[in-house]
C-alpha cells in the first residue's frame, strides 16, 4: 500500500459522500444510533464512576461506619430489624476503648427534619448530631466559616453547620455565617458551611444540618434512636487491624456470645464499589445489546449501499486496474469509503449526543452527577468503533470489487 | 531494429466457454514486437483484435501459449506483478477514452502515478507537463464532460504517456472521433513514435493504418498477414 493511494482513497470517499448526501445519511442511521448508544453508555458509566469516587472520598477509604444497618442490604431484613439499637452509651464506651483507630466518634441522625428561617420552612432536612472532632472526617470539611468548637460541643450550645444545599437555599447570597435558624423550635446560630459533597448516591449529605451531639439529644431524645460510630483507621492499610478490634470491642460491649452472629454491621466504602459494579454491569448488558442491534442494522445498510456503490463503479474499477491499481488498492479504496461513511455517522451521533446530554444535565436535577458534555475519551472510542464497523460492513463488497476481472469491468456499461 | 523483442508471443490462444461450446478468440498467434515499432492491428469485427491487445497489455491472460515481455515470462506472474507491469510498462488508450468522469484532466492523468507511489507535487507537475505536450495546457482543470471528444482522447493519451511506458496500446483510438479529429490524434501517435516510443494501434480504417510502419491483419483469431507498410504515410506525415 502506498501513501499516495491513501489520499486518493480518502478523496474518492469524500466525493462519494458528497454525491449521495441523502443516501449516505439514511444508510448511516443505524450506525448513528449505535454510536449514540455507545456514547450515552460511556457517558453514564463515566458519571457513575465519578460519583462513586466522590462518594468514596466523601466517606473516606480509611473510614468504617459501625451501624445497626448494613449499607449493602442483601442481608436478612427481619434479622436486622430485630437487632437492638446501638445506644449513645455503647458508642461512647467503644470510642473510649478503641486503640488502633486514629479517630472514632458517635453520630446520631434524624431524617426528615424541618428547619425554619423567619417565615421560611424547609422540610426533608437530615439533622445530625456529632462531636466537634467530626471536623477531622472528610465529611466535615468546611467551605466557609468554621466547625463548632470543643467548647461549644461540651456546653451543648446551639451552633449549627449547614450542608451546601441548605446554605445556598436559605442564604443564596453566601451570608449564612452568624445568621439564625430554628431547629425543633430552638434558635441556632450558623457557624459554618460544609463544602458541596453530594452526588447521585449521596445527595442527602448536602441537605443536612450538623449540630453538637449533646444538643441533638436534648432536642430529639435518645430513646429509640440507634447511633452509628464512625471509625477512622487513618490509613487504608490499617483497615483490617481496626476492623478486627472494632468487631471484638462491639461484641464485648453488646454481649454477643461466642459463636453467635454479630448484631451490628461494619460498613465500608467498598460496599459502594460493589453496588456500582452491579449497576455498571447491568448498564453494559443493556447498552451492549442495544448497540449490537443497531450496529447489525447499520452494517446491513452500509453493506447494501456499498454493493450498490461497487456495481455503479464497475467501469471505474476496470479503468483503475488497467492503469495499474492492484487488488489491494481497490479493496482499500472501498474499505476507506465504508469507514468514512460510518465515521460521518459517528460525527452525527456525537453532535446529537452533545445536544441531548446538555439538555439532560440542564433540566434533570438528578442527573447532575453526569458531565454536561461528552467525555473526550469517548470521542476517540466512538471514532474507532465507527471505523471498525465500517470496515466490517465494507469488507465483502470491497472484496468483490477487488476481485473483478479488469477486462470484464472495462466492458461494463452503466 | 533491435535484436531483443519487447514483446514475444508464441502460439497464443484464447478460448471462451460459451454454453459448453468453445469460442476461439485467438488461435495460435505468434508475434514479435521490437522497440520503437509502430504496428497497426487490422481485421474485421470479432476477429480478436481487442482480445490480443488485452493479452499484450497484461489485462488478460492467454489460455495457452508463451508470452514474454522484455524477456520476462508473463504466464508466471502474479496478479500484483501484472498490475505493476500495466502500471509501469504499458500505456492504454481506449476507443471510449475511459476517463473518470468526476476527475479533472490533471487528476485523470495523475491516476497511474498514484498507483506507482509518486508524490503529490511531482504527480501534478508531470501531469501538467504531458498535458501540455499533447496540446491541452489550457484545459488542466476541465472535467471530461467539459471537453470535446478529441480533447478527451488527448487527455487519455497524456495519461498513457505520463508513466513513460515501454509501449503504448491503443484500441481504436479514433473510433469515436470524426475524421478531422481522428487525423489530429493520429498525428499525435506518429509524433510519439518519432520520439522513440513503441506503438500498437488497432483500427478498422486503412487510412489510419497507413500511419503505421507495420500492418498485421487478423482474421478469426489468426494472423492473416504481417508486413511492412508500403504506402508509407508516416514519412509523408512529417511535412
Ligand atoms: N468475454 C467473452 N466471452 C465470450 N466470448 C468473447 C468474450 N470476449 C470476446 N469474445 C469473443 O471473442 C471474439 C473476439 O472478440 P474481440 O473483442 O477481440 O474482437 P475485435 O476484433 O476487437 O472486434 P471489434 O472490431 O468489433 O472490436 C469475438 O467472437 C467475441 O465474441
Ligand atoms: Mg475490439
Amino acid at each position: 500500500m502506498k501513501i499516495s493511494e491513501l489520499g486518493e482513497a480518502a478523496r474518492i470517499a469524500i466525493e462519494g459522500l458528497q454525491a449521495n448526501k441523502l443516501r449516505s445519511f439514511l444508510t448511516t442511521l443505524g450506525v448513528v444510533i449505535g454510536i449514540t448508544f455507545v456514547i450515552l453508555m460511556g457517558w453514564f458509566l463515566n458519571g457513575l464512576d465519578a460519583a462513586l469516587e466522590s462518594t468514596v472520598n466523601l466517606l473516606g477509604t480509611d473510614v468504617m461506619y459501625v451501624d445497626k444497618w448494613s449499607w449493602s442490604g442483601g442481608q436478612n431484613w427481619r434479622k436486622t430489624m430485630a437487632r437492638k439499637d446501638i445506644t449513645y452509651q455503647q458508642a461512647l464506651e467503644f470510642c473510649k476503648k478503641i486503640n488502633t483507630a486514629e479517630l472514632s466518634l458517635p453520630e446520631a441522625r434524624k431524617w426528615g427534619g424541618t428547619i425554619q428561617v423567619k417565615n421560611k420552612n424547609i422540610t426533608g432536612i437530615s439533622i445530625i448530631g456529632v462531636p466537634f472532632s467530626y471536623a477531622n472526617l472528610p465529611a466535615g470539611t468546611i467551605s466557609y466559616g468554621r466547625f463548632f468548637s470543643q467548647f461549644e460541643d461540651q456546653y451543648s450550645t446551639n451552633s449549627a453547620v449547614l450542608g451546601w444545599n441548605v446554605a445556598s437555599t436559605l442564604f443564596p447570597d453566601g451570608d449564612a455565617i452568624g445568621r439564625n435558624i430554628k431547629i425543633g423550635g430552638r434558635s441556632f446560630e450558623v457557624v459554618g458551611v460544609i463544602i458541596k459533597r453530594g452526588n447521585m448516591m449521596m445527595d442527602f449529605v448536602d441537605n443536612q444540618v450538623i449540630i453538637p451531639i449533646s444538643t441533638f439529644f436534648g432536642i430529639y431524645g435518645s430513646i429509640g434512636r440507634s447511633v452509628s460510630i464512625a471509625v477512622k483507621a487513618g490509613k487504608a492499610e490499617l483497615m483490617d487491624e481496626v476492623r478486627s478490634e472494632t468487631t471484638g470491642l462491639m461484641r464485648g460491649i453488646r454481649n454477643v456470645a461466642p459463636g453467635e452472629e454479630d448484631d451490628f454491621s461494619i460498613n465500608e466504602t467498598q460496599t459502594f464499589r460493589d453496588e456500582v459494579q452491579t449497576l455498571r454491569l447491568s448498564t453494559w448488558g443493556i447498552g451492549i445489546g442495544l448497540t449490537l442491534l443497531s450496529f447489525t442494522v447499520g452494517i446491513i445498510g452500509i453493506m447494501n449501499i456499498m454493493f450498490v456503490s461497487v456495481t455503479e463503479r464497475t467501469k471505474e474499477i476496470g479503468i483503475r486496474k488497467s492503469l495499474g491499481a492492484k487488488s489491494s488498492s481497490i479493496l482499500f479504496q472501498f474499505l476507506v469509503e465504508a469507514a468514512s461513511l460510518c465515521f460521518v455517522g459517528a460525527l452525527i451521533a456525537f453532535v446529537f449526543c452533545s445536544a441531548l446530554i446538555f439538555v439532560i444535565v440542564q433540566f434533570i436535577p438528578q442527573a447532575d452527577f453526569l458531565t454536561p458534555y461528552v467525555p473526550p475519551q469517548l470521542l476517540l472510542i466512538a471514532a474507532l468503533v465507527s471505523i471498525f464497523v465500517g470496515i466490517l460492513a465494507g469488507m465483502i463488497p470491497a472484496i468483490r470489487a477487488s476481485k473483478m476481472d479488469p477486462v470484464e469491468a472495462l466492458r461494463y456499461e452503466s | 531494429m533491435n535484436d531483443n523483442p519487447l514483446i514475444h508471443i508464441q502460439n497464443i490462444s484464447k478460448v471462451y466457454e460459451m454454453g459448453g461450446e468453445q469460442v476461439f478468440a485467438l488461435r495460435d498467434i505468434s508475434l514479435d514486437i521490437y522497440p520503437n515499432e509502430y504496428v497497426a492491428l487490422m481485421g474485421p469485427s470479432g476477429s480478436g483484435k481487442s482480445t490480443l491487445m488485452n493479452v499484450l497489455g497484461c489485462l488478460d491472460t492467454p489460455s495457452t501459449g508463451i508470452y514474454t515481455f522484455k524477456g520476462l515470462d508473463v504466464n508466471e506472474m502474479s496478479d500484483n506483478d501484472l498490475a505493476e507491469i500495466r502500471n509501469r510498462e504499458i500505456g492504454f488508450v481506449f476507443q471510449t477514452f475511459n476517463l473518470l468522469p468526476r476527475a479533472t484532466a490533471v487528476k485523470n492523468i495523475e491516476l497511474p502515478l498514484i498507483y506507482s507511489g509518486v508524490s503529490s507535487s511531482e504527480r501534478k507537475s508531470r501531469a501538467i507537463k504531458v498535458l501540455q505536450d499533447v496540446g491541452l495546457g489550457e484545459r488542466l482543470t476541465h472535467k471530461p464532460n467539459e471537453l470535446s471528444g478529441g480533447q478527451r482522447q488527448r487527455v487519455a493519451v497524456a495519461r498513457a504517456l505520463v508513466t513513460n511506458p515501454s509501449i503504448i496500446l491503443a484500441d481504436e483510438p479514433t473510433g469515436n472521433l470524426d475524421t478531422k479529429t481522428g487525423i489530429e490524434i493520429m498525428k499525435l501517435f506518429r509524433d510519439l513514435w518519432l520520439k522513440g516510443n513503441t506503438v500498437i494501434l488497432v483500427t478498422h480504417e486503412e487510412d489510419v493504418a497507413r500511419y503505421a510502419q507495420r500492418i498485421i491483419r487478423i482474421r478469426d483469431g489468426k494472423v492473416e498477414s504481417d508486413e511492412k507498410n508500403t504506402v508509407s504515410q508516416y514519412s509523408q506525415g512529417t511535412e
Side-chain angles (χ1 to χ4, degrees):
Chain A
M1 191 61 47
K2 285 154 185 143
I3 307 278
S4 51
E5 292 174 26
L6 212 138
E8 173 72 358
R11 204 182 55 75
I12 297 167
I14 291 165
E15 225 174 62
L17 289 176
Q18 282 173 340
N20 303 299
K21 283 196 196 77
L22 183 65
R23 189 173 85 179
S24 308
F25 174 73
L26 289 177
T27 43
T28 54
L29 219 54
V31 176
V32 171
I33 295 170
I35 295 286
T36 299
F37 282 130
V38 170
I39 292 178
L40 291 182
M41 193 166 72
W43 167 67
F44 179 73
L45 291 176
N46 202 61
L48 201 63
D49 282 344
L52 171 68
E53 272 329 294
S54 76
T55 301
V56 164
N57 291 336
L58 173 75
L59 297 168
T61 43
D62 63 339
V63 183
M64 60 191 83
Y65 292 82
V66 183
D67 220 325
K68 179 178 169 184
W69 311 96
S70 166
W71 289 350
S72 57
Q75 284 168 332
N76 191 330
W77 180 76
R78 239 174 242 284
K79 250 189 203 164
T80 316
M81 274 297 279
R83 285 175 177 176
K84 275 184 269 165
D85 289 338
I86 299 174
T87 65
Y88 187 38
Q89 268 59 43
Q90 288 174 342
L92 286 178
E93 188 183 345
F94 174 87
C95 292
K96 207 189 300 173
K97 284 185 176 165
I98 185 126
N99 272 327
T100 50
E102 181 187 296
L103 172 71
S104 67
L105 55 90
E107 203 178 304
R109 181 180 296 273
K110 157 119 182 105
W111 296 99
T114 303
I115 57 176
Q116 291 161 287
V117 177
K118 291 182 188 145
N119 41 13
K120 246 196 270 179
N121 258 344
I122 0 179
T123 54
I125 302 294
S126 134
I127 315 284
I128 62 169
V130 292
F132 73 98
S133 52
Y134 190 82
N136 299 322
L137 290 180
T141 312
I142 288 291
S143 167
Y144 59 96
R146 60 176 178 85
F147 212 82
F148 49 77
S149 63
Q150 184 170 11
F151 178 84
E152 287 165 323
D153 183 9
Q154 267 170 11
Y155 289 90
S156 311
T157 58
N158 289 351
S159 311
V161 177
L162 306 185
W164 182 261
N165 285 352
V166 178
S168 51
T169 309
L170 292 178
F171 309 108
D173 299 333
D175 53 350
I177 308 301
R179 303 287 284 268
N180 283 315
I181 59 171
K182 274 191 173 163
I183 304 173
R186 300 193 198 181
S187 187
F188 278 75
E189 187 193 347
V190 176
V191 296
V193 174
I194 299 285
I195 58 168
K196 181 164 172 54
R197 307 297 307 251
N199 54 53
M200 171 198 59
M201 280 174 273
M202 301 283 286
D203 58 346
F204 64 88
V205 295
D206 289 332
N207 289 322
Q208 62 191 16
V209 172
I210 305 171
I211 58 176
I213 192 160
S214 43
T215 315
F216 179 92
F217 285 122
I219 301 174
Y220 298 110
S222 58
I223 297 157
R225 196 169 292 287
S226 191
V227 172
S228 73
I229 309 167
V231 185
K232 187 177 191 232
K235 279 190 194 129
E237 305 92 78
L238 298 176
M239 288 294 270
D240 287 340
E241 200 183 327
V242 173
R243 192 184 305 109
S244 65
E245 194 196 357
T246 300
T247 310
L249 267 178
M250 282 306 285
R251 288 178 70 93
I253 291 168
R254 285 165 70 83
N255 296 318
V256 181
E260 253 179 70
E261 266 182 59
D262 292 346
D263 65 348
F264 54 91
S265 294
I266 299 179
N267 297 307
E268 293 170 37
T269 50
Q270 185 57 39
T271 316
F272 285 90
R273 292 199 193 280
D274 297 343
E275 247 154 54
V276 165
Q277 188 57 17
T278 315
L279 195 53
R280 201 194 321 255
L281 287 179
S282 41
T283 308
W284 268 105
I286 299 167
I288 293 283
L290 290 172
T291 307
L292 285 184
L293 190 72
S294 14
F295 277 150
T296 307
V297 174
I299 284 174
I300 291 171
I302 296 221
M303 196 183 294
N304 191 44
I305 215 67
M306 287 309 296
F307 272 127
V308 173
S309 175
V310 167
T311 307
E312 276 176 356
R313 282 148 67 180
T314 303
K315 182 117 186 173
E316 178 188 323
I317 294 165
I319 294 172
R320 287 179 186 275
K321 285 200 161 185
S322 77
L323 298 176
K326 293 178 181 158
S327 299
S328 56
S329 311
I330 302 292
L331 183 84
F332 182 70
Q333 171 188 328
F334 282 97
L335 287 184
V336 168
E337 180 169 331
S340 314
L341 210 60
C342 289
F343 186 71
V344 168
L347 289 181
I348 295 172
F350 173 69
V351 171
F352 171 72
C353 286
S354 297
L356 184 71
I357 282 172
F358 182 78
V359 170
I360 288 177
V361 175
Q362 196 79 1
F363 293 103
I364 304 178
Q366 286 82 355
D368 71 350
F369 69 98
L370 295 162
T371 55
Y373 51 85
V374 179
Q377 72 271 25
L378 279 182
L379 258 181
L380 188 71
I381 292 174
L384 291 181
V385 167
S386 70
I387 289 170
F388 176 74
V389 166
I391 290 173
L392 213 62
M395 194 50 93
I396 298 172
I399 288 175
R400 180 197 272 190
S402 73
K403 287 202 168 142
M404 275 184 187
D405 176 62
V407 177
E408 297 289 326
L410 277 172
R411 217 199 302 269
Y412 182 87
E413 290 303 333
S414 45
Chain B
M1 205 170 280
N2 283 359
D3 295 335
N4 294 327
L6 188 60
I7 283 173
H8 168 72
I9 57 175
Q10 202 179 317
N11 308 116
I12 282 220
S13 296
K14 179 76 188 178
V15 190
Y16 292 105
E17 294 280 344
M18 293 286 282
E21 221 177 298
Q22 290 195 324
V23 179
F24 276 82
L26 300 174
R27 301 168 201 259
D28 235 12
I29 290 199
S30 299
L31 274 180
D32 284 319
I33 312 271
Y34 290 86
N36 200 22
E37 272 199 289
Y38 189 170
V39 181
L41 212 54
M42 297 199 68
S45 186
S47 56
K49 305 181 294 295
S50 294
T51 307
L52 180 57
M53 288 293 260
N54 289 339
V55 168
L56 294 180
C58 298
L59 270 178
D60 210 349
T61 44
S63 309
T64 55
I66 296 166
Y67 178 14
T68 52
F69 184 91
K70 279 186 158 178
L72 299 169
D73 187 350
V74 175
N75 294 351
E76 294 290 302
M77 290 184 185
S78 67
D79 279 357
N80 274 354
D81 295 336
L82 293 176
E84 211 140 294
I85 293 270
R86 291 199 292 272
N87 186 242
R88 293 174 195 283
E89 306 286 354
I90 313 241
F92 280 106
V93 178
F94 302 95
Q95 180 176 355
T96 53
F97 320 131
N98 284 350
L99 299 173
L100 296 187
R102 286 199 295 257
T104 63
V106 169
K107 284 282 173 206
N108 262 293
I109 296 168
E110 282 186 35
L111 270 181
L113 297 179
I114 285 173
Y115 295 115
S116 48
V118 175
S119 76
S120 150
S121 55
E122 189 188 335
R123 271 191 333 246
K124 191 158 188 198
S125 61
R126 276 169 71 175
I128 293 172
K129 169 86 172 51
V130 283
L131 207 45
Q132 283 162 346
D133 288 349
V134 299
L136 273 182
E138 310 288 293
R139 296 285 187 274
L140 302 178
T141 57
H142 284 59
K143 297 200 172 152
N145 62 2
E146 298 158 351
L147 296 168
S148 74
Q151 287 171 332
R152 285 182 213 183
Q153 198 58 300
R154 278 170 198 273
V155 174
V157 172
R159 184 179 64 185
L161 288 174
V162 76
T163 54
N164 294 319
S166 302
I167 188 163
I168 291 163
L169 302 177
D171 194 346
E172 301 197 46
T174 60
N176 278 16
L177 303 174
D178 61 44
T179 317
K180 185 172 155 287
T181 324
I183 289 170
E184 279 169 27
I185 294 295
M186 290 316 296
K187 280 188 178 155
L188 198 57
F189 281 111
R190 183 205 57 201
D191 290 345
L192 293 176
W193 169 62
L194 288 173
K195 280 188 209 157
N197 283 292
T198 312
V199 179
I200 305 181
L201 179 143
V202 170
T203 183
H204 274 114
E205 300 162 58
E206 294 291 341
D207 284 351
V208 172
R210 224 169 278 142
Y211 284 86
Q213 180 198 28
R214 173 179 169 192
I215 299 177
I216 300 172
R217 290 176 202 276
I218 295 187
R219 187 176 292 274
D220 295 332
K222 281 183 287 200
V223 175
E224 190 184 46
S225 68
D226 180 352
E227 51 208 16
K228 288 231 158 179
N229 184 4
T230 44
V231 200
S232 47
Q233 175 91 21
Y234 64 89
S235 50
Q236 298 162 21
T238 54
E239 83 262 37

